[in-house]
């Protein structure tokens, strides 16, 4: 695996059986974490559905501005099927036939949504993942090191912070 696919999803909540993907960001990096390619998109959904889902999400109430931004983004975005197609084309353009290592913070949660809503993309992903939150647990638990994040709750910003977080942890081993 010569490259890494970083993905972050912004969703209406954490349950893929109920909640929806509203935004996706993707970066492809090499192992020095140099960005090779970028993709981002909102995902169109019925506005009333999103409002109902956000209304029962305590996070959304505490982050009203982020929720409003995501609602506006969804309204002007392509369908979920179109976004999946664009993501698959993005991956195929950069990974050819090599395995696609998925990375991010708590990436298993995003993978649950990918599995549910974008099964064709899921089929391109390797079974192994690079989860920055595993490093976070070790660094906090063993070394009492905490990485401070701004947590904008926007997909590309969150990926960039995850990459910086992993970089900071890896420096401790040099």
């Amino acid at each position: 695996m010569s490259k890494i696919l970083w993905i972050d999803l912004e969703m209406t909540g954490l349950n893929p059986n109920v909640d929806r993907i509203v935004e996706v960001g993707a970066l492809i990096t090499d192992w020095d974490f140099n960005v090779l390619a970028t993709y981002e998109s909102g995902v169109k959904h019925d506005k009333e559905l999103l409002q109902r889902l956000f209304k029962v999400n305590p996070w959304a109430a505490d982050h009203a501005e982020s929720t409003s931004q995501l609602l506006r983004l969804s309204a002007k975005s392509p369908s979920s099927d179109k976004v999946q197609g664009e993501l698959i084309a993005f991956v195929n353009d950069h990974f050819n036939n090599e395995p696609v290592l998925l990375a991010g913070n708590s990436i298993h949660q995003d993978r649950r949504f990918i599995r549910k809503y974008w099964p064709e993309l899921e089929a391109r992903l390797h079974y192994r993942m690079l989860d920055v939150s595993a490093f976070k647990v070790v660094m906090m638990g063993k070394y009492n090191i905490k990485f401070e994040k701004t947590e904008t709750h926007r997909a590309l910003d969150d990926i960039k912070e995850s990459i910086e977080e992993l970089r900071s942890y890896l420096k401790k081993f040099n």
Side-chain angles (χ1 to χ4, degrees):
M1 291 181 230
S2 64
K3 296 175 235 168
I4 307 166
L5 174 65
W6 297 82
I7 285 186
D8 185 73
L9 304 177
E10 298 301 325
M11 298 89 70
T12 58
L14 298 177
N15 183 347
N17 294 320
V18 175
D19 292 301
R20 300 295 188 275
I21 301 167
V22 184
E23 181 183 32
V24 57
L27 292 178
I28 296 172
T29 68
D30 59 21
W31 282 96
D32 290 323
F33 309 121
N34 298 306
V35 176
L36 306 174
T38 304
Y39 174 87
E40 75 177 313
S41 181
V43 180
K44 187 171 206 63
H45 295 285
D46 177 72
K47 182 179 179 179
E48 288 75 28
L49 170 66
L50 292 183
Q51 287 174 325
R52 276 195 318 272
L53 292 171
F54 277 133
K55 188 175 182 177
V56 298
N57 180 341
W59 176 91
D62 293 340
H63 297 87
E65 180 56 33
S66 293
T67 301
S68 294
Q69 288 175 356
L70 291 171
L71 285 167
R72 288 191 301 273
L73 177 64
S74 176
K76 62 181 183 179
S77 296
S79 71
S80 183
D81 287 343
K82 180 154 177 49
V83 172
Q84 177 181 218
E86 291 173 356
L87 278 165
I88 291 168
F90 176 72
V91 166
N92 288 341
D93 285 348
H94 296 281
F95 286 89
N96 299 316
N97 290 323
E98 72 178 289
V100 180
L101 180 66
L102 183 62
N105 235 316
S106 298
I107 196 62
H108 68 281
Q109 182 64 28
D110 298 77
R111 183 100 183 228
R112 291 175 65 215
F113 277 80
I114 291 168
R115 188 172 294 121
K116 169 84 174 166
Y117 293 105
W118 296 333
E120 292 170 36
L121 175 62
E122 155 67 20
R124 283 290 281 121
L125 303 176
H126 194 274
Y127 67 92
R128 289 188 173 136
M129 296 182 285
L130 175 57
D131 195 336
V132 177
S133 59
F135 284 84
K136 179 191 313 276
V137 170
V138 171
M139 298 308 280
M140 286 175 59
K142 183 160 181 64
Y143 303 107
N144 199 30
I145 294 172
K146 183 172 182 183
F147 183 84
E148 294 297 327
K149 295 172 78 170
T150 60
E151 300 194 31
T152 64
H153 300 291
R154 295 303 306 266
L156 278 181
D157 292 339
D158 288 355
I159 294 170
K160 290 172 185 172
E161 278 195 322
S162 293
I163 291 169
E164 287 309 308
E165 183 176 6
L166 182 55
R167 272 189 179 134
S168 77
Y169 296 149
L170 291 175
K171 284 180 187 173
K172 306 294 183 198
F173 299 108
N174 289 337

